[in-house]
Amino acid sequence: MILFTNAKAGTHDAQTLDRVAELLRDAGREVTVCPCVAPDDLDAALDKDREAVVVAAGGDGSINRLVSTLHRRGELDRTVGLLPMGTGNDLARNLGIPLDPDAAVRLLLDGGHRELDMIVDEDGRVTLNAVHVGIGASAAESATRFKSTLKVAAFPLGAVIAGLRHSGWRQRVEADGELVAEGKFLMVALSNAPGIAGGSAQLAADAHPGDGKLELVVSAATGPIARIAYALRLRDGSHRYRDDVLHTTARKVTISGQEFRSNSDGEVSGPYTSRSWTLHPGAWRLIAPPKPA
């Protein structure tokens, strides 16, 4: 088993990782801890052992980086594990992976595999949880500077700041080749799982990471009062019942129009004037609790 971690992790994270490694070794597993600094550190470790279970010790960015690397290498048949040590831990929360390190270790030792879907854009960029265009990307940028002090609370604060600054973007949205929306939108989001922003928002309550469908949410709640109401209802997932919100499913989504930035699993990129994302069903497998009945 290879545990990949950020070499710049703090003292507390390093202590947690050491304890986890010892627990795994006590259970009879051969464990290598790989602190990654340079971009090719991950590749080098994967080259040394092509049979080991590979575990991301970190948050959504860490597991995204690991799966993205396996995708690029054509090695998505490898078994992946997750030790949640990030701020939001959205993937772990959505799949029921314990945030407590000891419980997460027990899952790594005894848990089964779940085949999960993956969202990929035209450049091969991987998303595991959700892609946001518009207010979602702006909120992520605003929250970044507060993460170190406010932790999960940084996400709703970032959303408030973004909501005060922006009233929408003019865009065209196509789902599976058909035009489904065109106009000024506060948010266009593609979700592979229900919760985002550290569990503070239920973007797509019906989403499941392995159901072979993308949940598409398009919000035209651009007025000052509408933006506040949308944000409040986003917390429990009832935003999808608003008259100014389109909620549907698709396998491929294209967004074009006014220049926008994209938030993929918490990482903001762009600007773009056009972007497409395609769902790859059952593309990778993760050690996780079984899907609820």
Side-chain angles (χ1 to χ4, degrees):
M1 188 173 287
I2 305 174
L3 301 184
F4 294 101
T5 185
N6 183 354
K8 298 179 181 178
T11 302
H12 175 74
D13 285 349
Q15 292 173 344
T16 298
L17 195 61
D18 287 342
R19 188 174 85 253
V20 164
E22 285 305 310
L23 289 172
L24 290 169
R25 290 179 182 125
D26 290 344
R29 298 297 177 92
E30 183 178 336
V31 178
T32 300
V33 178
C34 178
C36 294
V37 181
D40 58 352
D41 286 349
L42 188 52
D43 280 298
L46 290 170
D47 286 339
K48 288 180 181 178
D49 190 340
R50 296 181 179 273
E51 302 297 327
V53 173
V54 288
V55 179
D60 294 309
S62 297
I63 185 67
N64 184 298
R65 180 185 176 193
L66 175 55
V67 176
S68 295
T69 301
L70 294 175
H71 174 58
R72 171 175 53 78
R73 292 166 59 97
E75 297 179 8
L76 286 175
D77 57 335
R78 296 185 68 153
T79 298
V80 178
L82 174 60
L83 179 65
M85 295 173 61
T87 303
N89 295 310
D90 285 333
L91 184 66
R93 295 175 192 272
N94 287 323
L95 292 173
I97 295 174
L99 302 185
D100 174 73
D102 291 355
V105 167
R106 289 193 293 272
L107 178 65
L108 289 175
L109 292 169
D110 303 324
H113 302 161
R114 283 184 64 179
E115 291 188 351
L116 302 176
D117 303 338
M118 182 173 69
I119 307 168
V120 183
D121 70 13
E122 66 260 49
D123 292 332
R125 185 186 181 99
V126 168
T127 300
L128 303 180
N129 282 300
V131 178
H132 312 260
V133 165
I135 199 71
S138 180
E141 288 184 304
S142 298
T144 298
R145 64 180 183 273
F146 303 113
K147 279 186 179 181
S148 61
T149 53
L150 298 182
K151 305 301 182 184
V152 175
F155 296 116
L157 178 58
V160 170
I161 295 172
L164 293 173
R165 289 178 176 174
H166 303 284
S167 62
W169 291 257
R170 294 201 171 276
Q171 294 167 332
R172 175 186 175 94
V173 184
E174 298 174 55
D176 296 332
E178 299 290 331
L179 177 65
V180 294
E182 188 169 19
K184 188 177 182 180
F185 303 121
L186 182 70
M187 168 191 279
V188 181
L190 293 66
S191 187
N192 193 34
I196 60 171
S200 64
Q202 293 296 303
L203 177 61
D206 295 333
H208 296 286
D211 65 359
K213 294 185 294 186
L214 272 178
E215 302 286 326
L216 172 63
V217 177
V218 183
S219 171
T222 56
I225 296 176
R227 294 201 301 271
I228 295 172
Y230 175 78
L232 291 174
R233 296 186 66 175
L234 189 61
R235 295 167 64 184
D236 64 4
S238 62
H239 62 289
R240 57 185 169 161
Y241 302 118
R242 288 177 55 89
D243 292 338
D244 54 8
V245 172
L246 167 70
H247 179 213
T248 188
T249 60
R251 291 286 290 270
K252 181 177 181 178
V253 174
T254 299
I255 303 171
S256 59
Q258 182 180 349
E259 191 173 84
F260 61 86
R261 295 176 71 79
S262 171
N263 170 12
S264 168
D265 288 347
E267 298 296 321
V268 179
S269 63
Y272 310 109
T273 55
S274 180
R275 210 72 179 154
S276 293
W277 296 265
T278 303
L279 189 72
H280 292 220
W284 65 294
R285 60 186 187 185
L286 179 70
I287 299 173
K291 179 181 177 180

